[in-house]
Amino acid sequence: MELPHTEQEQRCADAVCRHLANDSNHRWRVQSWLDESCDSGPSPDALLSDGSEQVALEIKQLTDGSPFHEYGVASYSLYKGLHPNQHNQRQLVLYPPLSIRIPLDQKLVKLLRRRIADANREIPVGASRIVKIPRRGTVEFIRPSDRGFIACRHVKREYLQAPSAMVEGIYFLRDTESFDHQFLTDECRTRFQLELVRACAMSRIIGEATIEWSEEWRLERLADVAEGQGGVSVIAFTAGFLESAAIESVNCAISKAKSKFQIGLNYSRIAVALHAKEQQSEVPLSCFESAIAALTATDVHPVDLLYLVCGNQVQVCRSFID
């Protein structure tokens, strides 16, 4: 049994009807929602008509593509999951190192939830607090050298310059996390550097030494929001290209849409409406427009008309009718 059409689908169909009316000077409307009435296999969403001609319309929502979609889902999960009180109105922002990527490891999520709950108790609107992040690793002695040098696998290594000048030999700091080091206070940074020098001296004796230290992430409280809408925004990035995400999203939507038009069913015209800005926010419309402009009639067959709809407006209409 098919589900009733959604408000988003209604807005999209209405936008296409207005576009058809502007082109033909005829009044177009949704004659019927086929998904709600057709029991004999797949069918398009709606049948549009001006009284004499019909257009079969399938509506697909565009996403940000798999990398950005995963990022969006994970970000929302963190927004709600990290908040110490789901019914709270507080809106918090967490600033980890820029190299961090989400989804986050679940052990880190549990730690952050506890630390954010502690900091949240005493943070006024517009202020920020430091969240301490414990880290653990090992220091390996590589070889002797007159000059000291400590390396690690992260991009930001300026925190290793001072302790490198305090040791002799080559060392490698290996920790369990992939994100960069971050210290917001001189006290925390100095404590780490002294602990690193100690671990280097120990590793020179036994080959490898354990090191534990703390780093600092900033937690900021913004203006309160409506009850139940509070959360924690984690400032992080994802790996991916907007152009390729748009191409993937458009191609996937068209492929699914084409399967709704059964062979043997006769429609005056076949149309697909790709609805943007409903379930995606990262990929701009310009990238979707470019992806649609690159399509050929072979790519979309048997589709005659392809629409890009944003909100209540048709942004792009491509005709593949000879």
Side-chain angles (χ1 to χ4, degrees):
M1 181 177 180
E2 297 289 351
L3 296 176
H5 68 278
T6 65
E7 179 185 350
Q8 177 261 336
E9 289 172 327
Q10 182 69 59
R11 292 200 310 271
C12 191
D14 289 343
V16 173
C17 285
R18 286 194 298 271
H19 187 85
L20 289 167
N22 289 336
D23 281 351
S24 64
N25 288 324
H26 295 169
R27 180 178 178 272
W28 284 82
R29 62 181 180 84
V30 177
Q31 178 177 307
S32 62
W33 289 95
L34 299 177
D35 264 358
E36 297 172 16
S37 59
C38 183
D39 297 323
S40 58
S43 65
D45 287 314
L47 194 62
L48 313 182
S49 176
D50 66 349
S52 60
E53 188 178 2
Q54 293 178 328
V55 173
L57 178 69
E58 174 66 13
I59 300 168
K60 290 299 179 187
Q61 294 186 11
L62 292 174
T63 71
D64 286 316
S66 51
F68 293 97
H69 179 68
E70 182 184 21
Y71 169 83
V73 171
S75 295
Y76 183 78
S77 176
L78 289 174
Y79 184 78
K80 289 300 183 183
L82 289 178
H83 205 286
N85 185 342
Q86 296 299 316
H87 301 290
N88 205 304
Q89 296 174 284
R90 292 190 177 186
Q91 186 175 206
L92 306 171
V93 181
L94 183 66
Y95 297 89
L98 292 178
S99 59
I100 203 164
R101 294 291 181 265
I102 57 177
L104 302 181
D105 178 79
Q106 284 304 304
K107 290 178 61 177
L108 178 59
V109 172
K110 291 179 181 179
L111 169 69
L112 288 173
R113 189 181 296 121
R114 295 194 302 269
R115 297 297 170 90
I116 289 172
D118 293 338
N120 179 60
R121 295 190 185 100
E122 56 178 29
I123 180 171
V125 174
S128 62
R129 292 290 184 270
I130 288 177
V131 175
K132 291 291 185 69
I133 306 297
R135 298 186 72 166
R136 178 185 176 89
T138 57
V139 174
E140 180 184 358
F141 175 61
I142 305 299
R143 60 180 174 83
S145 173
D146 293 338
R147 297 183 61 183
F149 181 76
I150 305 172
C152 73
R153 63 190 179 117
H154 299 115
V155 175
K156 294 181 66 176
R157 299 177 182 176
E158 64 266 26
Y159 302 120
L160 304 180
Q161 293 175 0
S164 292
M166 301 168 66
V167 301
E168 292 182 354
I170 309 299
Y171 304 86
F172 187 79
L173 170 61
R174 182 180 294 106
D175 52 9
T176 55
E177 291 84 12
S178 61
F179 47 83
D180 283 336
H181 306 293
Q182 179 170 280
F183 303 96
L184 303 178
T185 64
D186 292 340
E187 178 185 4
C188 190
R189 181 178 64 253
T190 300
R191 192 173 299 167
F192 160 71
Q193 291 172 336
L194 292 176
E195 182 62 20
L196 183 56
V197 171
R198 182 207 63 80
C200 287
M202 183 62 67
S203 71
R204 185 151 189 163
I205 298 172
I206 61 177
E208 190 173 277
T210 299
I211 177 174
E212 296 181 357
W213 71 97
S214 291
E215 297 187 7
E216 299 167 309
W217 297 1
R218 184 164 67 90
L219 180 70
E220 181 182 9
R221 180 181 173 188
L222 305 181
D224 290 350
V225 292
E227 184 175 353
Q229 299 301 309
V232 180
S233 298
V234 179
I235 304 303
F237 300 94
T238 187
F241 295 97
L242 295 173
E243 293 82 2
S244 59
I247 292 170
E248 175 196 324
S249 183
V250 167
N251 288 344
C252 181
I254 291 175
S255 177
K256 291 180 179 178
K258 289 194 296 185
S259 67
K260 293 297 191 75
F261 300 101
Q262 299 181 63
I263 297 174
L265 295 182
N266 294 319
Y267 304 108
S268 299
R269 282 180 286 176
I270 292 175
V272 172
L274 305 178
H275 209 181
K277 299 302 179 184
E278 292 287 337
Q279 289 197 358
Q280 49 80 221
S281 58
E282 298 293 329
V283 180
L285 281 176
S286 58
C287 288
F288 288 127
E289 291 170 357
S290 297
I292 291 172
L295 294 170
T296 67
T298 302
D299 295 327
V300 302
H301 180 78
V303 176
D304 301 310
L305 299 168
L306 181 62
Y307 298 96
L308 174 64
V309 180
C310 180
N312 299 321
Q313 299 294 323
V314 171
Q315 298 291 129
V316 174
C317 173
R318 282 205 62 191
S319 174
F320 297 92
I321 302 172
D322 294 333

